[in-house]
Amino acid sequence: MLAKIYAWLDERLGITTIYNTVLDRKVPKVNWWFTLGSGSLFLFVMQGVTGIMLSVYYVPSPDHAYDSIQYIMTGVTFGWLIRGIHHWGATLMVIVVFVHMLRTFFYGAYKYPREFTWVTGVILLLTTLGMGFTGYLLPWNQRAYWATTVGTSIAETVPLVGPFINAVLRGGTDLSAVTLARFFSVHIWWLPAIIAALIGIHLYMVIRLGISAVPSKED
Ligand code: HEM
């Protein structure tokens, strides 16, 4: 019965072809370092799921942001756990993505024909760091406020365009409700959308080109 339903669906949707292309690919002899790309993907999805859960109670306004997080930590069932996973998952994701980059660099996986995989990867690293930077402000506590003040001031030191970048980031001369609103928007909409699209291109390249082998002495 189940086999019949599957065959019916497969004929129309091509599930077996999708499965064979995406998951049942030939891979060279690899090692544990090759799991870090999938690890990055897992962490991105985990951050997305826990972030959506947090957005149910989090309020992005200077009056309520801090209190809403206190409520998540003490009043919401398992709120502390979801926030904890999101908080530590962010740090872990930066580390895992970075070590994944080191692995592809030291194994020479960025070389022909995988240059484009590398370029999308570099943007993924920068956008992942952007997620960390924008997320750090959201608790709206002293540490968040002053860390972002320092971070945006550093951006201001860039020659010529620095003051402009600082003004765009802060939405004014100082950190305010405008800053919190735009950091929240970038954190939950802009960057996740860009990262999801880039991961799509990145994985398309991985599926199309296959995984590179561990370099041998002759390489
Ligand atoms: C959210 C971030 C990222 C995700 C989800 C991701 C995902 C993946 C996955 C699943 C693979 C295949 C398995 C593996 O080799 O580990 C892969 C391969 C690759 N990634 Fe990433 N990646 C990310 C960031 C990066 C970064 C920052 C770079 C470099 C700057 C990069 C460069 C590459 C390259 C060159 C390959 C091909 C490896 C090969 O063929 O041996 N990726 N990525």
Side-chain angles (χ1 to χ4, degrees):
M1 179 65 183
L2 274 181
K4 265 193 171 174
I5 296 174
Y6 182 81
W8 191 89
L9 284 173
D10 192 29
E11 201 182 344
R12 282 150 186 89
L13 303 174
I15 303 168
T16 308
T17 318
I18 297 174
Y19 175 83
N20 289 342
T21 318
V22 176
L23 293 173
D24 198 13
R25 290 173 288 119
K26 284 203 167 56
V27 286
K29 193 175 167 0
V30 288
N31 57 40
W32 282 98
W33 294 107
F34 286 73
T35 59
L36 294 168
S38 306
S40 310
L41 180 62
F42 173 80
L43 288 168
F44 174 67
V45 174
M46 191 180 78
Q47 289 303 94
V49 172
T50 50
I52 288 170
M53 287 175 167
L54 289 173
S55 74
V56 173
Y57 286 100
Y58 177 75
V59 184
S61 87
D63 288 347
H64 299 105
Y66 182 82
D67 290 337
S68 66
I69 296 224
Q70 294 313 307
Y71 184 63
I72 288 170
M73 295 301 280
T74 51
V76 180
T77 313
F78 288 121
W80 58 272
L81 182 64
I82 299 301
R83 185 185 177 215
I85 294 174
H86 198 75
H87 180 93
W88 292 106
T91 308
L92 192 61
M93 183 169 168
V94 171
I95 296 170
V96 171
V97 170
F98 197 79
V99 181
H100 169 61
M101 179 192 73
L102 290 181
R103 186 300 270 171
T104 56
F105 178 74
F106 285 117
Y107 280 11
Y110 56 86
K111 292 179 192 169
Y112 171 86
R114 296 185 179 78
E115 301 93 329
F116 201 64
T117 320
W118 174 266
V119 171
T120 52
V122 171
I123 311 173
L124 275 169
L125 177 67
L126 296 176
T127 41
T128 304
L129 293 174
M131 286 298 283
F133 184 60
T134 50
Y136 207 86
L137 179 67
L138 302 186
W140 203 248
N141 52 24
Q142 287 292 322
R143 192 167 54 172
Y145 186 91
W146 293 109
T148 307
T149 303
V150 172
T152 47
S153 300
I154 292 172
E156 196 178 17
T157 61
V158 174
L160 300 175
V161 288
F164 174 73
I165 295 174
N166 187 15
V168 170
L169 287 173
R170 291 186 183 175
T173 46
D174 293 307
L175 262 66
S176 66
V178 180
T179 325
L180 184 58
R182 65 181 55 184
F183 270 51
F184 180 68
S185 164
V186 170
H187 188 76
I188 72 156
W189 291 117
W190 293 78
L191 286 179
I194 294 170
I195 294 177
L198 283 169
I199 289 180
I201 302 170
H202 199 71
L203 295 188
Y204 167 72
M205 299 309 294
V206 170
I207 291 166
R208 188 178 137 75
L209 301 169
I211 300 292
S212 65
V214 178
S216 62
K217 272 186 189 153
E218 291 78 54
D219 292 331

